[in-house]
Amino acid sequence: GDGISSPIVWKDRLFLVNASRRADNKKRDRKNTEQYVACYDTQQGKLLWNTVVPSGPWKRSHTNRAGGGFASCTPATDGELVYALFGTSVLVALDYAGKIVWRKELVPHNYDVEMATSPVLFEKNVIVFCGMQGGSRLVAFDRKTGDIAWDKELKDTGYGHNTPLIMQVKGTPQLILMGAGLNAAKNAIQSFDPRTGERLWW
């Protein structure tokens, strides 16, 4: 498969995501993209498992590119589950044996191309910036169940593909987010409480 996400390592396991067109699809488009989460042994490079993740609701055809755009998001892990976000607007959690524990489609969706932000782990949640055209959102999912912990609509935030940054400010966590689309924006950089999604400054 193709993908421009980064691999991640936890102890002796290496995880990565990729996507490809189906082998029997002769058309040069990606409506039938297959998505994968793969796990390798770091000592010998042996493939341990490669799990197919059902595509999400976002479809986009291309006439001149391979399937990499759907695998641009770098996965994350807490040592128990692996969290992977794909450009078709679907977030999935897998255990270390490659079994899908939960899968959530991110809706609504209206991206300029495909999602390229990466999931961020904070305490008991996995946080995703859904940078969309005309209605971005910041959503926290429970790590164990995939249930939505909080969902904040960002009405005055432009779209973007960056990954939010968690930082400590005087002992208090903040989530820093950038999203301005292709224009100047009054709220291009914002800070949120990663526990509640409340906006702190902009």
Side-chain angles (χ1 to χ4, degrees):
D2 302 304
I4 57 174
S5 68
S6 297
I8 61 169
V9 173
W10 183 281
K11 296 183 178 178
D12 61 348
R13 300 291 181 92
L14 182 147
F15 303 97
L16 58 83
V17 301
N18 58 52
S20 68
R21 293 188 298 272
R22 294 180 186 273
D24 60 352
N25 179 19
K26 303 302 181 183
K27 297 179 181 179
R28 292 183 59 83
D29 64 57
R30 295 190 295 173
K31 291 183 178 180
N32 295 319
T33 295
E34 285 190 335
Q35 304 169 145
Y36 312 90
V37 178
C39 176
Y40 291 84
D41 172 78
T42 59
Q43 301 302 312
Q44 300 178 352
K46 179 182 178 182
L47 176 65
L48 301 178
W49 49 262
N50 188 31
T51 300
V52 176
V53 177
S55 293
W58 179 244
K59 312 295 182 186
R60 181 172 184 256
S61 298
H62 290 270
T63 58
N64 59 353
R65 283 197 285 159
F70 285 123
S72 299
C73 311
T74 296
T77 184
D78 54 13
E80 296 181 4
L81 298 177
V82 181
Y83 306 91
L85 179 63
F86 289 93
T88 59
S89 197
V90 64
L91 176 68
V92 65
L94 303 93
D95 63 21
Y96 270 35
K99 179 182 177 181
I100 295 177
V101 177
W102 55 260
R103 174 186 173 278
K104 298 292 180 178
E105 295 185 355
L106 308 184
V107 292
H109 50 270
N110 183 27
Y111 307 108
D112 60 325
V113 282
E114 296 92 16
M115 295 186 73
T117 185
S118 298
V120 174
L121 302 183
F122 179 78
E123 294 183 351
K124 62 181 181 179
N125 293 329
V126 52
I127 302 172
V128 175
F129 170 43
C130 301
M132 296 181 286
Q133 298 183 96
S136 294
R137 309 186 76 84
L138 192 60
V139 188
F141 299 86
D142 183 278
R143 288 195 201 184
K144 302 297 184 183
T145 66
D147 294 336
I148 293 178
W150 51 260
D151 183 350
K152 300 295 181 180
E153 186 175 2
L154 308 175
K155 294 181 179 180
D156 53 1
T157 300
Y159 68 87
H161 300 285
N162 70 95
T163 298
L165 170 69
I166 300 287
M167 59 185 293
Q168 296 288 326
V169 180
K170 297 182 178 180
T172 301
Q174 292 189 25
L175 183 147
I176 309 301
L177 176 68
M178 295 188 298
L182 297 176
N183 301 300
K186 61 181 180 179
N187 296 318
I189 302 178
Q190 303 174 78
S191 173
F192 298 85
D193 182 340
R195 293 191 174 102
T196 64
E198 176 187 2
R199 189 164 70 165
L200 303 176
W201 56 260
W202 54 94

